[in-house]
Amino acid sequence: MTGGPLVVLVGPMGSGKSTVGQLLAGRLGVPYRDTDADIVAAEGRAIADIFVDEGELHFRELERRAVAAAVAEHTGVLALGGGAVLDAGTRALLAGLPVAYLSMDVEEAVRRVGLGAARPLLAVNPRRQWRELMEARRPLYTEVARIEVATDARTPEEVAQAVLDALELKDV
């Protein structure tokens, strides 16, 4: 396949994009790529540090470029950062691609990631901020997604299987 990623995962922080993405890549026999990891590798520092040192706007520009490069170059499973869909250009790039939205509710987010300090957008009153982020982002996730898979109370293996089934992909 040369027409872009085989699967693109979008969704909020903690929804399991990295874990499920790696499982999918293994089951499909293709490489895995994560745009957040691309940014960390290119910048040589954590995303939280980029937010603190240079602000969200700078990070979003790095993210926009990382996603554009990954969509153009990668033919395996691709996981995007939680806020990547905020950029209209990114949403346009995702049009027509096999995008899976991994969804979850706030209680599941608390259980999985604790909504702690490593998440710069959730530093104060994390539950309320997570809900506000999701109110803004949920329509964007659903706009770009071909399928939605709820991850609440499911193992990563169950989520990966649901993605494979919904996208009608066969593992190797």
Side-chain angles (χ1 to χ4, degrees):
M1 173 176 178
T2 58
L6 187 58
V7 179
V8 179
L9 300 176
V10 299
M13 59 194 85
S15 63
K17 297 180 300 286
S18 296
T19 302
V20 170
Q22 291 172 26
L23 284 170
L24 285 169
R27 290 184 61 181
L28 293 167
V30 298
Y32 169 75
R33 185 167 175 177
D34 181 322
T35 57
D36 279 352
D38 290 351
I39 294 166
V40 169
E43 294 295 305
R45 57 195 168 136
I47 289 172
D49 293 338
I50 297 168
F51 265 81
V52 169
D53 296 343
E54 298 173 54
E56 184 177 0
L57 287 177
H58 178 74
F59 172 76
R60 295 296 173 207
E61 177 57 23
L62 296 173
E63 182 175 57
R64 184 192 63 72
R65 285 186 265 163
V67 171
V71 167
E73 301 164 0
H74 190 67
T75 57
V77 176
L78 177 63
L80 304 188
V85 297
L86 295 170
D87 181 74
T90 293
R91 293 193 307 275
L93 281 176
L94 296 176
L97 294 177
V99 177
Y101 163 32
L102 303 186
S103 64
M104 67 181 183
D105 67 22
V106 70
E107 296 311 317
E108 187 74 3
V110 169
R111 188 182 71 71
R112 289 188 189 176
V113 298
L115 302 181
R119 309 290 184 170
L121 292 178
L122 301 175
V124 179
N125 195 345
R127 284 177 193 254
R128 189 192 73 204
Q129 288 181 300
W130 193 87
R131 284 188 181 104
E132 289 173 2
L133 280 174
M134 285 307 300
E135 285 174 21
R137 293 178 182 180
R138 187 174 290 109
L140 303 176
Y141 292 139
T142 58
E143 173 188 328
V144 301
R146 186 177 298 172
I147 63 161
E148 178 178 346
V149 176
T151 64
D152 302 311
R154 282 177 142 166
T155 67
E157 292 78 10
E158 291 168 332
V159 174
Q161 187 61 53
V163 171
L164 289 172
D165 292 346
L167 291 175
E168 299 178 354
L169 296 170
K170 303 287 183 221
D171 53 357
V172 291

